[in-house]
Amino acid sequence: MIEKNKEYELDIIAQGYEGEGISKTSEGFTIFIPEALKGEKVRVKIVKSKKSYAYGKLIEILKPSKNREIPICPIYKRCGGCSLQHTSYNSQLEFKTERVKDCMSKIAKINPDIVKPAIGMKNPYRYRNKVQLPVGSNNGELQIGFFAPRSHDIIDMKSCYIQDEVADKAVDIIRKWILKNNIKPYIVDGQYSPEGVLRHIMVRKGFKTNEVMVVLVTTTEKLPHKEELILELAQSIPEIKSIMLNINTKPTNVILGEKSLVLYGKDHISDYIGNFKFNISPLSFFQVNPVQTEILYAKALEFAELTGNETVFDAYCGTGTISLFLSQKAKRVYGVEIVPQAIENAIHNAKENNVKNAEFHVGEAEKIIPEMISQGIKAEVVVVDPPRKGCEKALLEAIAKMSPERIVYVSCDPSTLARDLAILEEMNYETKEVQSVDMFPQTAHIENVALITRK
Ligand SMILES: C[S@@+](CC[C@H](N)C(=O)[O-])C[C@H]1O[C@@H](n2cnc3c(N)ncnc32)[C@H](O)[C@@H]1O
Protein backbone atom coordinates (compact mmCIF):
# COMPACT_ATOMS: atom_id res chain seq x y z
CA MET A 1 0.00 0.00 0.00
CA ILE A 2 1.36 3.39 -1.03
CA GLU A 3 0.61 6.00 1.63
CA LYS A 4 0.37 9.77 1.40
CA ASN A 5 3.30 11.79 2.85
CA LYS A 6 5.56 8.71 2.96
CA GLU A 7 8.75 8.42 0.90
CA TYR A 8 9.53 5.53 -1.47
CA GLU A 9 12.35 4.48 -3.78
CA LEU A 10 10.88 3.72 -7.19
CA ASP A 11 11.97 2.58 -10.67
CA ILE A 12 10.50 4.59 -13.54
CA ILE A 13 9.28 2.20 -16.21
CA ALA A 14 7.50 4.55 -18.61
CA GLN A 15 6.48 8.14 -19.33
CA GLY A 16 2.88 9.33 -19.32
CA TYR A 17 1.22 11.52 -21.93
CA GLU A 18 2.34 14.74 -20.19
CA GLY A 19 5.91 13.45 -19.90
CA GLU A 20 5.57 12.46 -16.22
CA GLY A 21 7.44 9.37 -15.00
CA ILE A 22 5.40 6.24 -14.28
CA SER A 23 6.25 3.57 -11.71
CA LYS A 24 4.30 0.43 -10.80
CA THR A 25 4.39 -1.66 -7.65
CA SER A 26 4.35 -5.46 -7.90
CA GLU A 27 0.62 -5.30 -7.03
CA GLY A 28 -0.02 -3.15 -10.12
CA PHE A 29 -0.46 0.13 -8.21
CA THR A 30 0.60 3.08 -10.45
CA ILE A 31 2.53 6.14 -9.27
CA PHE A 32 2.89 9.23 -11.46
CA ILE A 33 5.97 11.38 -10.81
CA PRO A 34 6.37 14.65 -12.76
CA GLU A 35 9.96 15.30 -13.93
CA ALA A 36 11.09 11.68 -13.45
CA LEU A 37 12.40 9.97 -16.59
CA LYS A 38 12.06 6.44 -17.91
CA GLY A 39 14.96 4.26 -16.70
CA GLU A 40 15.60 6.33 -13.57
CA LYS A 41 15.56 5.23 -9.95
CA VAL A 42 14.14 8.00 -7.78
CA ARG A 43 13.13 8.82 -4.22
CA VAL A 44 9.60 10.17 -4.13
CA LYS A 45 7.25 11.67 -1.54
CA ILE A 46 3.60 10.73 -2.12
CA VAL A 47 1.45 13.85 -2.33
CA LYS A 48 -1.86 12.26 -3.34
CA SER A 49 -3.03 8.67 -3.02
CA LYS A 50 -6.15 7.07 -4.49
CA LYS A 51 -7.43 3.49 -4.69
CA SER A 52 -5.28 2.34 -7.61
CA TYR A 53 -2.87 5.21 -8.28
CA ALA A 54 -0.90 7.98 -6.58
CA TYR A 55 1.05 11.13 -7.38
CA GLY A 56 4.56 11.58 -6.07
CA LYS A 57 6.94 14.53 -5.79
CA LEU A 58 10.46 13.92 -6.98
CA ILE A 59 12.78 14.24 -3.95
CA GLU A 60 16.03 12.72 -5.20
CA ILE A 61 17.33 11.10 -8.37
CA LEU A 62 19.19 7.98 -7.23
CA LYS A 63 20.10 6.80 -10.75
CA PRO A 64 19.70 9.42 -13.51
CA SER A 65 18.68 8.66 -17.09
CA LYS A 66 21.35 9.25 -19.74
CA ASN A 67 18.86 11.63 -21.33
CA ARG A 68 18.60 13.90 -18.28
CA GLU A 69 19.73 17.49 -18.82
CA ILE A 70 19.94 20.51 -16.56
CA PRO A 71 17.10 22.86 -17.60
CA ILE A 72 18.47 26.14 -18.94
CA CYS A 73 15.57 28.16 -17.54
CA PRO A 74 15.90 29.29 -13.92
CA ILE A 75 12.11 29.41 -13.38
CA TYR A 76 11.47 26.09 -15.16
CA LYS A 77 10.11 24.32 -12.07
CA ARG A 78 7.71 27.08 -10.99
CA CYS A 79 6.45 28.15 -14.44
CA GLY A 80 5.44 24.69 -15.67
CA GLY A 81 5.27 25.80 -19.32
CA CYS A 82 8.24 23.72 -20.53
CA SER A 83 7.50 20.39 -18.87
CA LEU A 84 10.22 18.48 -20.79
CA GLN A 85 13.21 20.81 -20.42
CA HIS A 86 14.92 18.29 -18.11
CA THR A 87 15.38 15.81 -20.96
CA SER A 88 17.54 16.03 -24.12
CA TYR A 89 15.83 17.21 -27.28
CA ASN A 90 16.36 13.87 -29.04
CA SER A 91 14.68 12.04 -26.19
CA GLN A 92 11.81 14.59 -26.27
CA LEU A 93 11.27 13.67 -29.92
CA GLU A 94 11.47 9.95 -29.15
CA PHE A 95 8.99 10.36 -26.31
CA LYS A 96 6.55 12.23 -28.56
CA THR A 97 6.82 9.68 -31.37
CA GLU A 98 6.24 6.86 -28.86
CA ARG A 99 3.22 8.68 -27.46
CA VAL A 100 1.66 8.93 -30.93
CA LYS A 101 2.44 5.26 -31.62
CA ASP A 102 0.84 4.31 -28.32
CA CYS A 103 -2.36 6.19 -29.26
CA MET A 104 -2.41 4.46 -32.65
CA SER A 105 -2.15 0.96 -31.23
CA LYS A 106 -4.27 1.43 -28.09
CA ILE A 107 -7.00 3.79 -29.30
CA ALA A 108 -7.10 3.50 -33.09
CA LYS A 109 -6.10 -0.22 -33.05
CA ILE A 110 -3.89 0.31 -36.09
CA ASN A 111 -0.28 -0.68 -36.75
CA PRO A 112 1.93 1.88 -34.91
CA ASP A 113 4.66 1.44 -37.54
CA ILE A 114 2.78 3.89 -39.76
CA VAL A 115 3.91 6.68 -37.38
CA LYS A 116 7.05 8.37 -38.69
CA PRO A 117 9.64 9.80 -36.24
CA ALA A 118 8.74 13.32 -35.11
CA ILE A 119 10.34 16.05 -37.21
CA GLY A 120 12.21 18.26 -34.76
CA MET A 121 13.80 21.71 -34.95
CA LYS A 122 17.48 22.50 -35.50
CA ASN A 123 17.22 24.97 -32.65
CA PRO A 124 14.46 23.90 -30.24
CA TYR A 125 14.61 27.21 -28.35
CA ARG A 126 13.52 30.77 -29.17
CA TYR A 127 11.00 29.45 -31.68
CA ARG A 128 7.80 31.24 -30.58
CA ASN A 129 6.72 34.40 -32.40
CA LYS A 130 4.22 35.58 -29.78
CA VAL A 131 4.32 36.10 -26.03
CA GLN A 132 1.61 37.43 -23.71
CA LEU A 133 2.73 38.33 -20.20
CA PRO A 134 0.50 39.46 -17.30
CA VAL A 135 1.66 42.48 -15.30
CA GLY A 136 1.19 42.45 -11.55
CA SER A 137 2.74 43.02 -8.16
CA ASN A 138 3.23 40.88 -5.10
CA ASN A 139 3.94 42.54 -1.75
CA GLY A 140 4.74 45.70 -3.73
CA GLU A 141 7.27 43.94 -6.03
CA LEU A 142 6.62 44.29 -9.77
CA GLN A 143 6.06 40.96 -11.53
CA ILE A 144 5.94 40.35 -15.25
CA GLY A 145 5.96 36.74 -16.36
CA PHE A 146 3.68 33.73 -16.60
CA PHE A 147 0.89 32.60 -14.32
CA ALA A 148 1.92 29.65 -12.16
CA PRO A 149 -0.17 26.59 -13.11
CA ARG A 150 -3.84 26.93 -12.00
CA SER A 151 -3.30 30.26 -10.19
CA HIS A 152 -3.16 34.04 -10.51
CA ASP A 153 0.36 34.17 -9.07
CA ILE A 154 2.75 35.63 -11.62
CA ILE A 155 6.18 34.00 -11.82
CA ASP A 156 8.48 36.93 -12.55
CA MET A 157 10.55 36.26 -15.66
CA LYS A 158 13.50 38.08 -17.26
CA SER A 159 14.00 35.80 -20.25
CA CYS A 160 11.82 33.06 -21.76
CA TYR A 161 13.98 30.63 -23.70
CA ILE A 162 11.26 29.53 -26.10
CA GLN A 163 10.38 33.13 -27.11
CA ASP A 164 12.28 35.32 -29.52
CA GLU A 165 14.91 37.41 -27.72
CA VAL A 166 13.34 40.65 -28.91
CA ALA A 167 10.46 40.01 -26.48
CA ASP A 168 12.89 39.94 -23.53
CA LYS A 169 14.38 43.22 -24.70
CA ALA A 170 11.02 44.97 -25.11
CA VAL A 171 9.73 43.72 -21.75
CA ASP A 172 12.91 44.91 -20.02
CA ILE A 173 12.34 48.44 -21.38
CA ILE A 174 8.68 48.36 -20.31
CA ARG A 175 9.66 47.06 -16.85
CA LYS A 176 12.05 49.99 -16.28
CA TRP A 177 9.42 52.46 -17.51
CA ILE A 178 6.77 51.01 -15.13
CA LEU A 179 9.12 51.31 -12.15
CA LYS A 180 10.29 54.81 -13.05
CA ASN A 181 6.78 56.19 -13.58
CA ASN A 182 4.95 54.12 -10.96
CA ILE A 183 2.52 52.66 -13.52
CA LYS A 184 -0.13 50.63 -11.69
CA PRO A 185 -0.26 46.91 -12.54
CA TYR A 186 -3.63 45.19 -12.87
CA ILE A 187 -3.02 42.11 -10.75
CA VAL A 188 -2.12 42.98 -7.18
CA ASP A 189 -1.40 40.11 -4.76
CA GLY A 190 -3.29 37.68 -6.99
CA GLN A 191 -6.42 39.90 -7.35
CA TYR A 192 -7.60 42.24 -10.10
CA SER A 193 -6.97 45.80 -8.89
CA PRO A 194 -9.62 48.49 -9.70
CA GLU A 195 -6.82 51.11 -9.91
CA GLY A 196 -4.69 48.90 -12.15
CA VAL A 197 -3.72 50.34 -15.56
CA LEU A 198 -1.41 47.84 -17.29
CA ARG A 199 -2.81 44.29 -17.62
CA HIS A 200 -0.67 42.47 -20.15
CA ILE A 201 2.24 42.96 -22.52
CA MET A 202 2.11 41.16 -25.84
CA VAL A 203 5.03 40.98 -28.26
CA ARG A 204 4.68 39.47 -31.75
CA LYS A 205 7.35 39.06 -34.40
CA GLY A 206 7.31 38.20 -38.07
CA PHE A 207 10.19 35.71 -38.36
CA LYS A 208 10.70 36.25 -42.09
CA THR A 209 10.09 40.00 -42.11
CA ASN A 210 11.73 40.72 -38.73
CA GLU A 211 8.88 43.14 -38.01
CA VAL A 212 7.93 43.45 -34.34
CA MET A 213 4.68 44.54 -32.70
CA VAL A 214 4.32 45.52 -29.05
CA VAL A 215 0.82 45.56 -27.56
CA LEU A 216 0.13 47.19 -24.20
CA VAL A 217 -3.15 45.85 -22.83
CA THR A 218 -4.59 48.47 -20.49
CA THR A 219 -7.78 49.28 -18.60
CA THR A 220 -7.85 52.81 -20.03
CA GLU A 221 -7.13 54.76 -23.21
CA LYS A 222 -5.16 57.27 -21.10
CA LEU A 223 -1.89 55.51 -20.47
CA PRO A 224 0.31 57.89 -18.46
CA HIS A 225 3.86 58.69 -19.69
CA LYS A 226 3.25 56.73 -22.90
CA GLU A 227 5.33 59.09 -25.09
CA GLU A 228 8.44 58.31 -23.08
CA LEU A 229 7.89 54.56 -23.50
CA ILE A 230 7.16 54.81 -27.24
CA LEU A 231 10.36 56.79 -27.81
CA GLU A 232 12.48 54.37 -25.78
CA LEU A 233 11.04 51.27 -27.48
CA ALA A 234 11.30 52.70 -31.01
CA GLN A 235 14.87 53.96 -30.51
CA SER A 236 16.20 50.85 -28.78
CA ILE A 237 14.49 48.28 -31.02
CA PRO A 238 14.36 49.54 -34.64
CA GLU A 239 12.55 46.32 -35.73
CA ILE A 240 9.46 47.58 -33.89
CA LYS A 241 7.06 48.62 -36.64
CA SER A 242 3.92 48.80 -34.52
CA ILE A 243 3.08 49.74 -30.94
CA MET A 244 -0.57 49.24 -30.08
CA LEU A 245 -2.76 50.02 -27.10
CA ASN A 246 -5.45 47.41 -26.53
CA ILE A 247 -8.15 48.37 -24.07
CA ASN A 248 -9.72 45.68 -21.92
CA THR A 249 -11.96 46.80 -19.07
CA LYS A 250 -13.54 43.43 -18.30
CA PRO A 251 -12.47 41.68 -15.07
CA THR A 252 -11.96 38.29 -16.73
CA ASN A 253 -8.95 36.23 -17.74
CA VAL A 254 -9.54 36.96 -21.45
CA ILE A 255 -6.34 38.79 -22.35
CA LEU A 256 -7.33 41.15 -25.15
CA GLY A 257 -10.19 43.64 -25.38
CA GLU A 258 -11.99 44.42 -28.63
CA LYS A 259 -10.61 47.95 -29.13
CA SER A 260 -7.06 48.61 -30.30
CA LEU A 261 -5.40 51.99 -30.98
CA VAL A 262 -2.15 52.69 -32.79
CA LEU A 263 0.47 54.38 -30.59
CA TYR A 264 3.32 54.13 -33.09
CA GLY A 265 3.79 52.91 -36.67
CA LYS A 266 1.27 50.58 -38.36
CA ASP A 267 -1.75 48.71 -36.98
CA HIS A 268 -0.28 45.37 -38.07
CA ILE A 269 2.94 43.59 -38.90
CA SER A 270 3.42 41.02 -41.68
CA ASP A 271 4.93 37.60 -41.99
CA TYR A 272 5.12 34.82 -44.57
CA ILE A 273 4.30 31.12 -44.49
CA GLY A 274 5.76 29.69 -47.66
CA ASN A 275 5.16 32.35 -50.29
CA PHE A 276 1.98 33.65 -48.68
CA LYS A 277 1.96 36.95 -46.86
CA PHE A 278 -0.17 37.42 -43.77
CA ASN A 279 -1.02 40.59 -41.90
CA ILE A 280 -0.92 40.13 -38.14
CA SER A 281 -2.97 42.46 -35.91
CA PRO A 282 -3.17 42.25 -32.10
CA LEU A 283 -6.26 40.03 -32.31
CA SER A 284 -5.45 37.89 -35.33
CA PHE A 285 -4.60 34.21 -35.07
CA PHE A 286 -1.23 33.18 -36.47
CA GLN A 287 0.63 29.93 -35.85
CA VAL A 288 3.20 30.51 -33.07
CA ASN A 289 5.97 28.36 -34.55
CA PRO A 290 6.32 29.57 -38.15
CA VAL A 291 9.33 27.33 -38.96
CA GLN A 292 7.52 24.08 -38.13
CA THR A 293 4.23 25.34 -39.57
CA GLU A 294 5.83 25.39 -43.02
CA ILE A 295 6.98 21.78 -42.56
CA LEU A 296 3.53 20.70 -41.34
CA TYR A 297 1.68 22.40 -44.20
CA ALA A 298 4.14 21.08 -46.80
CA LYS A 299 3.47 17.56 -45.50
CA ALA A 300 -0.29 18.13 -45.64
CA LEU A 301 0.08 19.32 -49.24
CA GLU A 302 2.23 16.27 -50.11
CA PHE A 303 -0.37 13.92 -48.58
CA ALA A 304 -3.14 15.69 -50.52
CA GLU A 305 -1.38 14.64 -53.80
CA LEU A 306 -3.13 17.36 -55.78
CA THR A 307 -2.81 17.49 -59.57
CA GLY A 308 -4.77 20.66 -60.26
CA ASN A 309 -8.11 18.99 -61.01
CA GLU A 310 -9.34 18.42 -57.48
CA THR A 311 -12.01 20.08 -55.41
CA VAL A 312 -10.87 20.23 -51.78
CA PHE A 313 -12.71 20.85 -48.50
CA ASP A 314 -10.59 22.46 -45.77
CA ALA A 315 -12.64 21.95 -42.62
CA TYR A 316 -11.79 23.99 -39.49
CA CYS A 317 -9.80 26.34 -41.73
CA GLY A 318 -9.15 29.18 -39.24
CA THR A 319 -7.70 32.14 -41.14
CA GLY A 320 -7.31 30.01 -44.25
CA THR A 321 -3.59 29.33 -44.12
CA ILE A 322 -3.88 25.66 -45.13
CA SER A 323 -6.53 26.56 -47.75
CA LEU A 324 -4.08 28.97 -49.39
CA PHE A 325 -1.36 26.31 -49.42
CA LEU A 326 -3.79 23.83 -51.01
CA SER A 327 -5.05 26.38 -53.55
CA GLN A 328 -1.63 26.33 -55.26
CA LYS A 329 -2.32 22.83 -56.60
CA ALA A 330 -6.11 22.37 -56.44
CA LYS A 331 -8.88 23.36 -58.84
CA ARG A 332 -10.98 24.82 -56.03
CA VAL A 333 -10.74 24.94 -52.22
CA TYR A 334 -13.69 25.46 -49.86
CA GLY A 335 -12.64 26.55 -46.35
CA VAL A 336 -15.15 26.19 -43.49
CA GLU A 337 -14.66 27.74 -40.05
CA ILE A 338 -16.93 28.58 -37.10
CA VAL A 339 -15.40 31.96 -36.11
CA PRO A 340 -16.68 34.78 -38.38
CA GLN A 341 -13.61 37.04 -37.80
CA ALA A 342 -11.29 34.21 -38.85
CA ILE A 343 -13.26 33.87 -42.08
CA GLU A 344 -13.01 37.64 -42.64
CA ASN A 345 -9.23 37.25 -42.25
CA ALA A 346 -9.21 34.23 -44.58
CA ILE A 347 -11.05 36.18 -47.31
CA HIS A 348 -8.66 39.10 -46.82
CA ASN A 349 -5.59 36.78 -46.90
CA ALA A 350 -6.78 35.14 -50.13
CA LYS A 351 -7.32 38.55 -51.75
CA GLU A 352 -3.94 39.93 -50.58
CA ASN A 353 -2.20 36.89 -52.03
CA ASN A 354 -4.15 36.99 -55.27
CA VAL A 355 -5.70 33.56 -54.65
CA LYS A 356 -8.85 33.25 -56.75
CA ASN A 357 -9.73 29.57 -56.38
CA ALA A 358 -10.47 29.53 -52.62
CA GLU A 359 -13.80 30.45 -51.04
CA PHE A 360 -14.71 30.53 -47.38
CA HIS A 361 -17.86 29.75 -45.40
CA VAL A 362 -18.75 30.54 -41.79
CA GLY A 363 -20.39 27.88 -39.65
CA GLU A 364 -20.01 24.50 -38.03
CA ALA A 365 -18.12 22.20 -40.39
CA GLU A 366 -20.45 19.33 -39.41
CA LYS A 367 -23.42 21.35 -40.72
CA ILE A 368 -21.96 23.38 -43.58
CA ILE A 369 -20.06 20.56 -45.30
CA PRO A 370 -23.10 18.19 -45.46
CA GLU A 371 -25.11 21.16 -46.84
CA MET A 372 -22.49 21.79 -49.52
CA ILE A 373 -22.46 18.10 -50.42
CA SER A 374 -26.26 18.07 -50.72
CA GLN A 375 -25.96 21.07 -53.07
CA GLY A 376 -23.85 18.89 -55.35
CA ILE A 377 -20.32 19.94 -54.40
CA LYS A 378 -18.10 16.89 -54.32
CA ALA A 379 -14.53 16.94 -53.02
CA GLU A 380 -11.87 14.43 -54.04
CA VAL A 381 -9.68 15.47 -51.11
CA VAL A 382 -10.71 16.62 -47.63
CA VAL A 383 -8.39 18.29 -45.13
CA VAL A 384 -9.46 18.61 -41.49
CA ASP A 385 -7.59 20.52 -38.76
CA PRO A 386 -9.95 20.44 -35.76
CA PRO A 387 -9.35 21.78 -32.24
CA ARG A 388 -8.11 19.39 -29.51
CA LYS A 389 -11.46 17.66 -29.14
CA GLY A 390 -11.20 16.31 -32.69
CA CYS A 391 -13.87 16.08 -35.41
CA GLU A 392 -17.59 15.78 -34.84
CA LYS A 393 -18.71 12.27 -35.80
CA ALA A 394 -21.40 13.78 -38.07
CA LEU A 395 -18.65 15.42 -40.14
CA LEU A 396 -16.66 12.18 -40.47
CA GLU A 397 -19.84 10.36 -41.54
CA ALA A 398 -20.69 13.01 -44.13
CA ILE A 399 -17.14 12.92 -45.50
CA ALA A 400 -17.10 9.11 -45.71
CA LYS A 401 -20.47 9.14 -47.46
CA MET A 402 -19.15 11.59 -50.07
CA SER A 403 -16.30 9.08 -50.51
CA PRO A 404 -13.23 11.28 -51.30
CA GLU A 405 -10.06 9.51 -52.39
CA ARG A 406 -7.97 11.02 -49.61
CA ILE A 407 -8.46 12.62 -46.22
CA VAL A 408 -5.61 14.60 -44.68
CA TYR A 409 -6.05 14.99 -40.93
CA VAL A 410 -3.99 17.67 -39.12
CA SER A 411 -4.23 17.25 -35.37
CA CYS A 412 -2.87 18.79 -32.18
CA ASP A 413 -4.07 15.91 -29.98
CA PRO A 414 -2.94 12.35 -30.80
CA SER A 415 -5.67 10.78 -28.61
CA THR A 416 -8.59 12.36 -30.48
CA LEU A 417 -6.79 11.83 -33.79
CA ALA A 418 -6.58 8.10 -32.98
CA ARG A 419 -10.26 8.00 -31.95
CA ASP A 420 -11.28 9.60 -35.27
CA LEU A 421 -9.00 7.34 -37.30
CA ALA A 422 -10.73 4.34 -35.70
CA ILE A 423 -14.11 5.76 -36.80
CA LEU A 424 -12.83 6.26 -40.36
CA GLU A 425 -11.38 2.73 -40.45
CA GLU A 426 -14.92 1.46 -39.86
CA MET A 427 -16.18 3.55 -42.78
CA ASN A 428 -14.02 2.07 -45.54
CA TYR A 429 -10.92 4.22 -44.93
CA GLU A 430 -7.39 3.20 -44.10
CA THR A 431 -4.70 5.25 -42.35
CA LYS A 432 -1.54 5.04 -44.44
CA GLU A 433 0.88 7.29 -42.60
CA VAL A 434 1.07 9.58 -39.58
CA GLN A 435 3.83 12.19 -39.54
CA SER A 436 4.56 13.87 -36.20
CA VAL A 437 5.88 17.43 -36.33
CA ASP A 438 7.27 19.04 -33.18
CA MET A 439 5.64 22.47 -33.11
CA PHE A 440 6.24 22.96 -29.38
CA PRO A 441 9.74 21.84 -28.28
CA GLN A 442 10.29 21.62 -24.50
CA THR A 443 6.58 20.93 -23.94
CA ALA A 444 4.68 17.63 -24.16
CA HIS A 445 2.53 18.84 -27.09
CA ILE A 446 2.86 17.20 -30.50
CA GLU A 447 1.21 17.98 -33.82
CA ASN A 448 0.47 15.28 -36.39
CA VAL A 449 -0.62 15.03 -39.97
CA ALA A 450 -2.21 11.79 -41.14
CA LEU A 451 -2.91 10.45 -44.62
CA ILE A 452 -6.10 8.39 -44.85
CA THR A 453 -7.15 6.79 -48.14
CA ARG A 454 -10.28 5.08 -49.41
CA LYS A 455 -9.98 1.28 -49.21
C1 LIG B 1 -6.51 23.92 -34.87
S1 LIG B 1 -7.39 25.30 -35.46
C2 LIG B 1 -7.02 25.19 -37.16
C3 LIG B 1 -6.70 26.48 -37.81
C4 LIG B 1 -6.16 26.46 -39.21
N1 LIG B 1 -6.36 25.27 -39.95
C5 LIG B 1 -4.70 26.85 -39.21
O1 LIG B 1 -3.83 26.03 -39.47
O2 LIG B 1 -4.43 28.02 -38.93
C6 LIG B 1 -9.05 24.75 -35.33
C7 LIG B 1 -10.07 25.73 -35.84
O3 LIG B 1 -11.36 25.10 -35.80
C8 LIG B 1 -12.34 26.08 -35.51
N2 LIG B 1 -13.55 25.35 -35.10
C9 LIG B 1 -13.86 24.84 -33.88
N3 LIG B 1 -15.01 24.15 -33.95
C10 LIG B 1 -15.45 24.21 -35.23
C11 LIG B 1 -16.58 23.65 -35.92
N4 LIG B 1 -17.48 22.91 -35.30
N5 LIG B 1 -16.71 23.90 -37.22
C12 LIG B 1 -15.78 24.66 -37.88
N6 LIG B 1 -14.70 25.21 -37.28
C13 LIG B 1 -14.52 24.98 -35.97
C14 LIG B 1 -11.66 26.95 -34.50
O4 LIG B 1 -12.25 28.23 -34.44
C15 LIG B 1 -10.23 26.99 -35.04
O5 LIG B 1 -10.03 28.08 -35.91
Side-chain angles (χ1 to χ4, degrees), residues 203-274:
V203 183
R204 304 187 83 162
K205 179 178 171 177
F207 270 38
K208 288 207 177 144
T209 58
N210 243 352
E211 293 183 347
V212 174
M213 166 183 276
V214 175
V215 184
L216 303 161
V217 186
T218 60
T219 53
T220 166
E221 285 186 25
K222 296 194 187 87
L223 179 65
H225 305 282
K226 61 175 184 288
E227 291 76 16
E228 184 186 328
L229 177 64
I230 295 164
L231 197 67
E232 183 62 32
L233 281 170
Q235 280 182 351
S236 305
I237 309 175
E239 305 93 297
I240 293 181
K241 301 294 176 223
S242 167
I243 304 176
M244 304 287 294
L245 193 69
N246 175 275
I247 300 109
N248 185 0
T249 52
K250 293 190 184 139
T252 68
N253 55 10
V254 176
I255 296 175
L256 294 171
E258 278 157 28
K259 188 171 179 187
S260 297
L261 303 170
V262 180
L263 294 182
Y264 168 84
K266 311 183 281 184
D267 65 354
H268 66 273
I269 54 169
S270 307
D271 203 10
Y272 288 85
I273 301 180

Side-chain angles (χ1 to χ4, degrees), residues 273 285-287 293 296-297 314-323 336-340 342 361-369 383-392 395 410-412 439 447:
I273 301 180
F285 171 84
F286 195 67
Q287 293 278 359
T293 298
L296 181 78
Y297 288 0
D314 178 18
Y316 310 91
C317 71
T319 51
T321 32
I322 296 182
S323 310
V336 180
E337 157 66 42
I338 201 164
V339 176
H361 298 260
V362 184
E364 293 171 349
E366 59 275 20
K367 283 201 182 136
I368 302 284
I369 288 186
V383 177
V384 296
D385 181 9
R388 299 190 70 78
K389 66 177 179 157
C391 291
E392 290 296 323
L395 175 66
V410 182
S411 158
C412 53
M439 300 277 274
E447 196 88 11

Side-chain angles (χ1 to χ4, degrees), residues 295-320:
I295 292 173
L296 181 78
Y297 288 0
K299 199 75 205 173
L301 191 56
E302 180 194 316
F303 281 171
E305 264 185 65
L306 300 172
T307 61
N309 297 320
E310 296 83 0
T311 298
V312 184
F313 285 148
D314 178 18
Y316 310 91
C317 71
T319 51

Side-chain angles (χ1 to χ4, degrees), residues 72-73 76 79-85 89 92 121 123-131 146 157 159-168 207 288-290 438-445:
I72 61 168
C73 176
Y76 153 83
C79 165
C82 292
S83 62
L84 297 183
Q85 231 187 61
Y89 188 50
Q92 289 181 24
M121 299 191 76
N123 176 13
Y125 287 100
R126 302 286 183 194
Y127 60 83
R128 283 186 60 105
N129 60 10
K130 174 175 125 178
V131 63
F146 295 106
M157 187 267 299
S159 181
C160 175
Y161 293 87
I162 59 169
Q163 306 291 342
D164 192 90
E165 271 152 326
V166 78
D168 295 342
F207 270 38
V288 294
N289 184 336
D438 191 18
M439 300 277 274
F440 307 102
Q442 317 306 331
T443 79
H445 296 287

